[in-house]
Amino acid sequence: MDVHVLRVFTGSPDGAAGAAGTAGGNPLGVVTDGSAVPDTADRQRLAAELGFSETVFVDDARRGVVDIRTPSGRLAFAGHPLVGVAWLLRQHGYAADVLRPPAGDVPSWTADGVTWIRARASWATGRLLQQYAMPADVDALPSPPSGEGWLYAWSWQDEPAGRVRARGFPRRGDGIAEDEATGAAALSLTAALERNLTISQGRASVIRTRYEGEDMAALGGGVASGGVRIVNV
């Protein structure tokens, strides 16, 4: 079976938010034929074997029905998988105007080379947003820092311009020490600050957000193909 490997939230080498940037990005696995893995246990096993922070199973490409898995469980909503699968479905000729993860309908569109989704910030729960004084303080953190629970460490790079430096640490014991780029946490931070952000996360990833009020925010980034991996089911 083919698993498409994408890099989601690509940026330029210096971390700038250029739409044409091709560096960085959080790896994502996408099984476009979800019917090839109908069993829940088999999906979870495959997600664990692939070892990406998330793997998406597309159950209905035309309607945008998707199932999102981490190496240790299922997610009702996640930002980087939905941005990535929206991009991939369009590459395969589908409209992908609405994606349907378990949390609810998620509109999607593209603009200036960036793939966007719109979602409720309240779907992105369970992450501690911890502010640090300087970007260097964020960069100095071990991977992962001590403690339990999902940690999103961030600092202002340029507060008037809405530029943020961030790193994400799931700390859930499933082999993902650090998440290169985290859409759900970016939505949470956008809602908490009530403003648009450009987030440089991980080693070279760039996340763009737009605060829309009333629990809504948009999340976007560049996506690049990392090839196709053939796996046994």
Side-chain angles (χ1 to χ4, degrees), residues 54-164:
E54 283 99 10
T55 297
V56 180
F57 297 86
V58 180
D59 289 321
D60 188 329
R62 183 182 61 81
R63 296 184 58 245
V65 179
V66 295
D67 181 26
I68 306 169
R69 303 275 171 162
T70 72
S72 55
R74 188 185 193 212
L75 298 178
F77 170 81
H80 120 269
L82 294 176
V83 170
V85 77
W87 179 88
L88 184 62
L89 288 177
R90 290 191 177 96
Q91 298 300 304
H92 287 192
Y94 296 96
D97 293 332
V98 179
L99 300 177
R100 293 180 169 88
D105 289 358
V106 176
S108 173
W109 66 98
T110 59
D112 299 324
V114 175
T115 300
W116 291 87
I117 63 170
R118 177 179 291 112
R120 295 190 177 278
S122 57
W123 290 345
T125 59
R127 292 165 178 82
L128 173 64
L129 308 177
Q130 185 166 329
Q131 183 177 5
Y132 289 77
M134 300 291 294
D137 298 329
V138 176
D139 292 336
L141 292 171
S143 182
S146 60
E148 298 180 356
W150 228 110
L151 172 66
Y152 199 58
W154 71 279
S155 174
W156 288 114
Q157 287 181 319
D158 183 341
E159 186 171 356
R163 292 184 57 81
V164 167

Side-chain angles (χ1 to χ4, degrees), residues 156 161-163 190 193-198 209-212:
W156 288 114
R163 292 184 57 81
T190 298
L193 298 175
E194 297 186 348
R195 59 178 298 181
N196 302 347
L197 300 174
T198 300
T209 70
R210 299 291 180 266
Y211 179 64
E212 299 184 355

Side-chain angles (χ1 to χ4, degrees), residues 195-210:
R195 59 178 298 181
N196 302 347
L197 300 174
T198 300
I199 302 172
S200 297
Q201 185 176 333
R203 289 169 293 181
S205 300
V206 179
I207 305 170
R208 304 158 181 83
T209 70
R210 299 291 180 266

